[in-house]
Every structure is written in C-alpha cells, then in structure tokens.
Amino acid sequence: MAEEDNQSLHNENNENNCVRTLKDHMNPTRTSAPSCIVSPPETSHFNFKPDIIQLLPSFHCLDLENSYLHLREFEEVCNTYNDLNCSMNIIRLKLFPFSLKDKAKTCLQNLRSGSIRA
C-alpha cells in the first residue's frame, strides 16, 4: 500500500482530525429532535414491565383503521396496569408511543418538541 494511502486511511497527518475521548463515544451527539412528549417529574418513578407493550393495540394510520377504536382498546389495556407511584394519565402518556406504528409513529415524531404535556 502506498504511503499516502495509508495516511489517508488513518488520518495521521490530518490537522482537522479531532481526537474523541471515551466520554464522546459514550455520549454521542443527538441526531434526532427531542420528543414532543414532556413527561412530568413524577414519571421518573414509573417502571413498567415490557410485557405490557406486547398487549398494546397497534395503530398504523391506515385508511381502514378506526382511531377511536384504537384509543378505546389502548385505554382498556392501560386500565389493567396499576402503578401506585403514577396516575393513569402518566401511564397512558408513557405507553402511547409504543402503540403507534409506521405512519402514525412518524406523525407523532414530527410534532413540535414539547407539544404534548400531562
């Protein structure tokens, strides 16, 4: 391999080469917008079992889907979950994004940052 090829691969003589610390690797820069959902401080105590996510109905935002029926089914599943540290509204707020798929998830992610509050 030619000397110049080796240097270009490893950027050894490149002055613009930034040295990344271990902290930089452990805390990468955010590449997506902050969430549109603002969680209240008391949600830090909210712990849910991953099994509940499998019980949630899925909404894809297709023409044949009924959004009201999805919300009714979503509430039914959430009502079976009990957490003494959080209100039902917080439980719903935390679990709702897991019920959205495809186009519906994209619509949620495109909402203005901080636009949904408990």
Side-chain angles (χ1 to χ4, degrees), residues 4-44:
E4 59 196 35
D5 290 340
N6 191 22
Q7 289 176 358
S8 64
L9 285 175
H10 298 290
N11 292 326
E12 292 172 358
N13 294 332
N14 188 355
E15 292 178 12
N16 295 330
N17 187 17
C18 296
V19 177
R20 293 186 67 196
T21 64
L22 184 58
K23 181 181 176 184
D24 295 334
H25 289 285
M26 296 299 292
N27 299 311
T29 56
R30 173 171 253 163
T31 58
S32 62
S35 176
C36 62
I37 299 175
V38 177
S39 299
E42 59 267 21
T43 61
S44 62

Side-chain angles (χ1 to χ4, degrees), residues 34-75:
S35 176
C36 62
I37 299 175
V38 177
S39 299
E42 59 267 21
T43 61
S44 62
H45 301 302
F46 178 70
N47 293 317
F48 62 92
K49 296 176 182 162
D51 296 344
I52 196 165
I53 293 173
Q54 295 174 353
L55 298 174
L56 295 173
S58 296
F59 185 71
H60 299 266
C61 202
L62 300 175
D63 292 336
L64 299 174
E65 289 181 304
N66 184 338
S67 57
Y68 296 106
L69 180 60
H70 170 72
L71 289 175
R72 190 175 332 142
E73 291 174 357
F74 174 77
E75 286 182 339

Side-chain angles (χ1 to χ4, degrees), residues 56-100:
L56 295 173
S58 296
F59 185 71
H60 299 266
C61 202
L62 300 175
D63 292 336
L64 299 174
E65 289 181 304
N66 184 338
S67 57
Y68 296 106
L69 180 60
H70 170 72
L71 289 175
R72 190 175 332 142
E73 291 174 357
F74 174 77
E75 286 182 339
E76 285 176 3
V77 172
C78 289
N79 289 340
T80 64
Y81 190 77
N82 222 355
D83 190 328
L84 300 175
N85 297 320
C86 296
S87 70
M88 185 54 66
N89 284 339
I90 291 173
I91 292 171
R92 290 176 182 156
L93 185 70
K94 296 295 258 182
L95 293 177
F96 186 69
F98 293 105
S99 74
L100 302 179

